[in-house]
Amino acid sequence: KATAFKHRGEFTESFVVNRLTKVFGAENVLRNVDLFQGKNKAGEIDVLVTFGDRLIVVQAKSKRLTLEARKGNDGQIKADFQKAITDSYEQGLLCARHLLAGDCVLRSPQNSEIKLPWKPKEVFILNVVSDHYPALSFQARQFLKQEVSEGIRPPFIMDIFLLDAMTE
């Protein structure tokens, strides 16, 4: 079960990288970027897209809706939303703040430093879930407390099926 869950997460990240590479080009799509402040890890980005002085921070989650949530249990719906979307959004938001502040070093999975060609002007947060998630946009409006600032735009929250259609 643990192996299957691990592969679901890897598939989600790989799928996002594949689709965004078709739009932005391989040189602008980076996978598994870590942010460091000194020796301390300050955050991690599943997929980072550079587009001029704009960045897209993608946090991909493979958390499924539980059976109880699908049956309409309000408490379980909120708990599943927290695990699938809110936690992912907060992780992306933390990374976006660091990217705009320029207070971190970006590192690849091979531990080499990644230099951004420009100081970021705007960061877009994309939260992608691996499964079909009924009422995702409605729940995002209802449950997610968004933080929007001059450099951080409202998040795009979607499942991989919407990402697939948009990038096609």
Side-chain angles (χ1 to χ4, degrees):
K1 188 175 180 177
T3 302
F5 188 75
K6 178 180 182 236
H7 290 297
R8 283 174 45 81
E10 287 176 3
F11 166 78
T12 305
E13 282 185 24
S14 295
F15 184 83
V16 169
V17 167
N18 180 280
R19 299 311 294 168
L20 292 176
T21 296
K22 291 180 185 252
V23 176
F24 296 101
E27 66 280 1
N28 297 316
V29 180
L30 306 166
R31 185 174 180 181
N32 296 324
V33 176
D34 291 324
L35 284 71
F36 283 90
Q37 286 183 311
K39 292 184 180 184
N40 298 323
K41 191 174 191 178
E44 56 185 67
I45 301 170
D46 292 334
V47 182
L48 177 66
V49 178
T50 59
F51 187 69
D53 59 356
R54 270 80 175 168
L55 301 175
I56 301 172
V57 171
V58 181
Q59 298 302 127
K61 293 291 180 205
S62 57
K63 172 71 179 97
R64 295 184 130 168
L65 276 179
T66 58
L67 185 57
E68 282 300 310
R70 289 183 188 273
K71 288 180 180 178
N73 179 320
D74 286 345
Q76 193 61 52
I77 289 171
K78 288 178 184 176
D80 286 359
F81 186 85
Q82 176 73 35
K83 293 173 187 168
I85 304 300
T86 305
D87 292 349
S88 169
Y89 171 69
E90 289 172 357
Q91 184 179 3
L93 184 61
L94 175 72
C95 292
R97 287 181 190 137
H98 284 301
L99 290 167
L100 287 171
D103 62 358
C104 283
V105 173
L106 281 65
R107 297 210 173 272
S108 71
Q110 295 77 28
N111 205 29
S112 59
E113 186 174 343
I114 299 168
K115 296 270 188 194
L116 296 176
W118 294 280
K119 180 175 178 1
K121 180 179 179 181
E122 289 182 307
V123 178
F124 297 87
I125 301 170
L126 205 74
N127 299 99
V128 180
V129 293
S130 62
D131 283 349
H132 173 62
Y133 196 123
L136 181 59
S137 61
F138 173 77
Q139 288 181 8
R141 281 191 308 269
Q142 188 169 6
F143 299 138
L144 188 63
K145 291 180 175 64
Q146 300 178 21
E147 180 181 313
V148 179
S149 67
E150 187 173 324
I152 301 173
R153 298 291 158 229
F156 293 109
I157 303 189
M158 64 185 71
D159 58 28
I160 59 171
F161 305 105
L162 178 58
L163 178 67
D164 187 35
M166 287 174 65
T167 56
E168 190 60 38

